[in-house]
Amino acid sequence: MRIERVLANNPGPFTGPGTNTWVLDDGAGTVAIIDPGPVDSRHATSILEIIGGRAVEAVLVTHTHSDHAPLANPLASDLGVPTAGHARGPGFEPEIRLLDGARFAVGALDLHVVHTPGHADDHLCFRAGNALFSGDHIMGGSSVMVEDMGPYLQSLSKLKGTGLERLHPGHGEEMADPDAVIDWYVAHRLQRHEEVFATVAGGASSVPEVVEVVYRDVDPALHPLAARSVEAHVTLLIAEGRITSEGDELVATPNSP
Ligand SMILES: [Zn+2]
């Protein structure tokens, strides 16, 4: 097995250095392309150059956000191979639908599909041996925007203690010791969860007010992103009965832990 990265030219506050496109080779010249990224002819050319004469099995996407999936169908159609992903999304149509627990053959490699909702409902991670292509479920060096907090935390624990040795994220650098990274992610999220609750208990009554307090040290350009994660924490706190939403006002439940 051999894994190579092609960095897309889309750096920014939401994408870090840019989207990582991964080329997974079974060791015998059959490859899969994971997360080709946004439509960008220069990036498509770079991917094709790296692939050279190798046989491509499919173009896979971890999820259908615009920095991961839109190049998939055009690239796959140029190569005459299928696209594969969990569901259709903006600018993406999977010819092969991948569900949790599915296995996908890349030449001699058996790729395991793990459904990991949280960052996005349609998010998949792909496991090859002890390596995991983690998309935006676990990112290198920047904080993940979470849409749905309960499933997100479950999707983290689902991967823990499964013998993973290496993470290949959708953004940022490769990471060793996945279990330690997952522990840190869970701890970080639970800490944020308590901060969001404490901020509402302290009088903040809306998501933007909570963002102002909890993310005061973070670049304001990232506040809209942070607001989505705070929203996800608030939804979970409401489900837990720790806060209520009265009209538009968030209120901590009396005697809530
Ligand atoms: Zn992304």
Side-chain angles (χ1 to χ4, degrees):
M1 177 168 95
R2 184 170 145 212
I3 295 168
E4 292 159 289
R5 173 170 70 162
V6 193
L7 181 63
N9 184 29
N10 62 338
F14 308 125
T15 55
T19 301
N20 292 330
T21 298
W22 296 103
V23 176
L24 169 66
D25 188 314
D26 71 342
T30 298
V31 304
I33 299 163
I34 299 170
D35 283 351
V39 173
D40 170 349
S41 59
R42 270 176 45 204
H43 185 54
T45 302
S46 305
I47 296 170
L48 294 173
E49 276 172 12
I50 290 254
I51 287 169
R54 292 180 282 177
V56 181
E57 196 86 62
V59 180
L60 292 89
V61 305
T62 56
H63 63 300
T64 60
H65 286 168
S66 61
D67 55 329
H68 293 260
L71 184 58
N73 285 99
L75 185 63
S77 109
D78 281 356
L79 289 163
V81 302
T83 51
H86 188 62
R88 72 158 55 133
F92 176 71
E93 187 66 49
E95 281 146 88
I96 300 169
R97 272 205 71 196
L98 300 173
L99 304 178
D100 188 46
R103 289 172 180 228
F104 189 86
V106 180
L109 272 181
D110 206 13
L111 204 61
H112 293 224
V113 176
V114 190
H115 184 216
T116 49
H119 170 73
D121 278 352
D122 62 4
H123 198 290
L124 301 174
C125 291
F126 302 114
R127 179 174 186 152
N130 291 329
L132 187 79
F133 298 93
S134 60
D136 286 2
H137 183 48
I138 303 173
M139 307 199 326
S142 44
S143 187
V144 171
M145 187 277 294
V146 178
E147 242 157 42
D148 208 344
M149 199 58 65
Y152 182 70
L153 292 168
Q154 285 163 19
S155 294
L156 284 174
S157 54
K158 190 173 179 177
L159 297 170
K160 189 158 175 228
T162 60
L164 290 171
E165 286 174 2
R166 203 128 189 104
L167 297 172
H168 300 269
H171 304 275
E173 296 302 315
E174 288 179 38
M175 289 168 277
D177 202 351
D179 281 353
V181 174
I182 291 168
D183 279 345
W184 184 87
Y185 263 67
V186 171
H188 172 70
R189 277 300 154 199
L190 294 179
Q191 187 198 339
R192 275 279 189 260
H193 200 57
E194 294 315 312
E195 279 172 7
V196 170
F197 174 72
T199 306
V200 173
S205 64
S206 69
V207 167
E209 282 178 44
V210 173
V211 171
E212 288 295 324
V213 176
V214 174
Y215 289 86
R216 60 191 171 276
D217 297 332
V218 171
D219 180 355
L222 288 168
H223 281 192
L225 186 75
R228 295 177 71 177
S229 285
V230 166
E231 189 91 52
H233 281 295
V234 163
T235 303
L236 184 57
L237 285 163
I238 292 171
E240 290 169 344
R242 298 177 68 192
I243 64 175
T244 54
S245 174
E246 292 166 12
D248 276 347
E249 298 245 303
L250 301 175
V251 181
T253 308
N255 305 320
S256 174

